[in-house]
């Protein structure tokens, strides 16, 4: 039990803290890549939307307000059988702009079906910009996202997620987490290329995008497909898409379960990229950032069980057990009571406990063969 305890603790600490600090430190020793002259790009922003009437108008307006700097950028919105006023709101926001096209699918086929429908309408030589319907872009987000494509070895460009607003139980913790994750993406980019995309905002050369699978996380599958084809994923700091944190904890839990289940399936499909002989240090990054980080959800209960068995071995193990119980207690109090939300670290505790519980349940669903292909967006 002592070996199990220290193995689990070491892997957890390395995943949550050690890897990030090590990689950010190593990145400072890496030379800058050679600069490439700016290249004017032709791109299409592809948005798959379902029941997004509340957000789609503001999304389109934020795209119309983007700086172009010579880039030709079109917008294609595909409504996935929306049952609300998504189609009408999108058409109203796009009125008078010939570079914005709105398509309404009669049936709800799922996000992958909507993306595949849109991709079929985009020429091979363009760049596809993927972005969620509920995120708003900073005015220069697109030109910053397109800049890395001046390097012909870049197949995809990853934007930066910003948290808008300060409301919601998890807003503070989410803001802290994404600040760390964005810094890690930048470090990975300098060393071996950014690991994968986050669906809020990213871009890929159209010819590198195959058919989007219905049972995998589309952002992960598309971006890993770029690396599998021998291209690099670049991080584009300043290409900021801002998204609000939901206050619907039950819905957010379900979203994380679904996202992890689909993401894990994508990771297993592209497991060959974790071979250092094939992808070098990128393999290390992919394993540490995506696989080990998710396995923490399995290591945490093992750590607790080993800790219980070692309670009679000294004050350290008693203190560690107390810390784990306190973390869960703070998270529970924050979710169930108003006073609990005012406890120190409540936001971080909820994000940590709920997030890892969702990952654990998702991995169990994956092991049982569950495949999520359709869903409704979580808002509010």
């Amino acid at each position: 039990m002592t070996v199990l305890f220290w193995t689990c603790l070491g892997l957890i600490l390395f995943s949550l803290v050690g890897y990030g600090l090590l990689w950010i430190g190593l990145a400072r020793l890496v030379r800058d890549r050679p600069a490439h002259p700016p290249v004017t790009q032709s791109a299409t922003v592809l948005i798959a939307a379902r029941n997004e009437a509340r957000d789609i108008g503001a999304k389109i307006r934020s795209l119309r307000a983007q700086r172009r700097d010579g880039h030709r950028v079109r917008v294609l919105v595909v409504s996935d059988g929306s049952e609300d006023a998504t189609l009408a709101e999108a058409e109203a926001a796009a009125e008078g702009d010939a570079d914005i096209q709105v398509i309404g699918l009669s049936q709800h086929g799922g996000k992958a079906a909507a993306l595949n429908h849109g991709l079929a309408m985009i020429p091979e030589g363009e760049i596809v910009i993927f972005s969620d319907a509920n995120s708003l872009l900073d005015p220069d987000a697109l030109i910053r996202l397109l800049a890395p494509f001046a390097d012909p070895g870049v197949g995809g460009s990853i934007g930066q997620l910003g948290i808008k607003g300060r409301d919601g139980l998890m807003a503070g913790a989410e803001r802290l987490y994404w600040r760390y994750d964005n810094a890690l993406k930048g470090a990975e980019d300098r060393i071996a290329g950014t690991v994968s995309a986050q669906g809020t905002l990213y871009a890929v050369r159209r010819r590198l995008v195959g058919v989007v699978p219905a049972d995998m996380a589309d952002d992960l599958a598309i971006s890993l497909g770029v690396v599998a084809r021998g291209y690099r994923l670049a991080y584009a700091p300043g290409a900021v898409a801002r998204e609000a944190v939901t206050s619907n904890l039950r819905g957010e839990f379900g979203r994380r379960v679904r996202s992890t289940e689909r993401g894990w399936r994508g990771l297993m499909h592209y497991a060959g990229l974790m071979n250092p002989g094939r992808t070098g240090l990128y393999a290390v990054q992919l394993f540490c950032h995506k696989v080990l980080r998710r396995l923490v959800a399995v290591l945490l209960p093992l750590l607790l069980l080993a800790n219980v068995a070692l309670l009679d071995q000294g004050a350290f193990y008693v203190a560690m057990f107390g810390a784990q119980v306190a973390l869960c207690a703070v998270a529970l109090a924050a979710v169930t009571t108003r006073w609990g939300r005012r406890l120190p670290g409540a936001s971080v505790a909820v994000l940590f406990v709920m997030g890892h519980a969702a990952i654990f349940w998702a991995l169990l669903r994956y092991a049982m063969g569950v495949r999520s292909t359709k869903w409704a967006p979580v808002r509010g």
Side-chain angles (χ1 to χ4, degrees), residues 67 71 140-148 157 235-240:
R67 288 172 51 200
H71 298 299
D140 58 352
L142 294 189
I143 61 172
R144 291 181 179 272
L145 188 69
L146 291 172
S157 176
Y235 178 58
V240 181

Side-chain angles (χ1 to χ4, degrees), residues 333-353:
V335 169
T336 58
T337 68
R338 289 186 178 182
W339 61 264
R341 298 188 175 204
R342 296 191 292 269
L343 292 172
S347 176
V348 174
V350 171
L351 181 64
F352 186 88
V353 174

Side-chain angles (χ1 to χ4, degrees), residues 62-74:
S62 81
L63 290 170
R64 295 183 71 166
Q66 288 291 300
R67 288 172 51 200
R68 298 293 199 272
D69 286 9
H71 298 299
R72 170 70 191 277
V73 180
R74 300 185 301 119

Side-chain angles (χ1 to χ4, degrees), residues 201-222:
L201 181 64
Y202 67 104
V204 175
R205 298 185 191 273
R206 171 64 185 93
R207 59 188 172 81
L208 301 180
V209 184
V211 176
V212 181
D215 60 350
M216 297 181 195
D218 51 275
D219 49 0
L220 183 79
I222 291 170

Side-chain angles (χ1 to χ4, degrees), residues 157-366:
S157 176
I158 314 303
Q160 179 180 343
L161 176 62
I163 302 299
K164 63 180 181 181
R166 296 184 177 276
D167 297 331
L169 177 57
M170 297 189 298
E174 286 275 13
R175 189 173 291 104
L176 180 65
Y177 170 78
W178 284 109
R179 189 178 303 156
Y180 163 76
D181 197 70
N182 287 329
L184 181 54
K185 283 187 175 77
E188 290 171 336
D189 179 33
R190 291 180 64 85
I191 294 173
T194 306
V195 168
S196 67
Q198 199 276 336
T200 310
L201 181 64
Y202 67 104
V204 175
R205 298 185 191 273
R206 171 64 185 93
R207 59 188 172 81
L208 301 180
V209 184
V211 176
V212 181
D215 60 350
M216 297 181 195
D218 51 275
D219 49 0
L220 183 79
I222 291 170
S223 54
L224 292 189
V226 170
V227 180
R229 289 169 173 81
Y231 288 80
R232 184 171 64 86
L233 293 172
Y235 178 58
V240 181
R242 301 189 184 276
E243 191 172 284
V245 178
T246 180
S247 57
N248 180 352
L249 293 182
R250 178 175 294 182
E252 178 66 7
F253 180 84
R255 185 194 70 80
R256 288 172 181 264
V257 170
R258 182 183 66 249
S259 175
T260 301
E261 174 229 309
R262 291 162 51 80
W264 190 261
R265 185 170 292 106
L267 285 170
M268 295 303 99
H269 180 79
Y270 285 103
L273 296 178
M274 286 179 269
N275 176 4
R278 177 183 175 186
T279 57
L281 286 176
Y282 176 86
V284 178
Q285 295 183 168
L286 180 59
F287 176 78
C288 292
H289 197 150
K290 291 296 180 181
V291 177
L292 184 57
R293 182 178 289 186
R294 283 151 181 76
L295 290 179
V296 166
V298 178
L299 295 171
L300 285 169
L302 290 176
L303 176 70
L304 182 60
L305 290 174
N307 200 161
V308 170
L310 295 170
L311 283 175
D312 60 350
Q313 298 300 307
F316 172 79
Y317 294 104
V318 174
M320 281 295 298
F321 177 75
Q324 293 173 79
V325 172
L327 179 67
C328 294
V330 170
L332 180 62
V335 169
T336 58
T337 68
R338 289 186 178 182
W339 61 264
R341 298 188 175 204
R342 296 191 292 269
L343 292 172
S347 176
V348 174
V350 171
L351 181 64
F352 186 88
V353 174
M354 187 199 74
H356 286 99
I359 293 173
F360 184 90
W361 181 237
L363 294 178
L364 187 60
R365 282 165 56 92
Y366 171 85

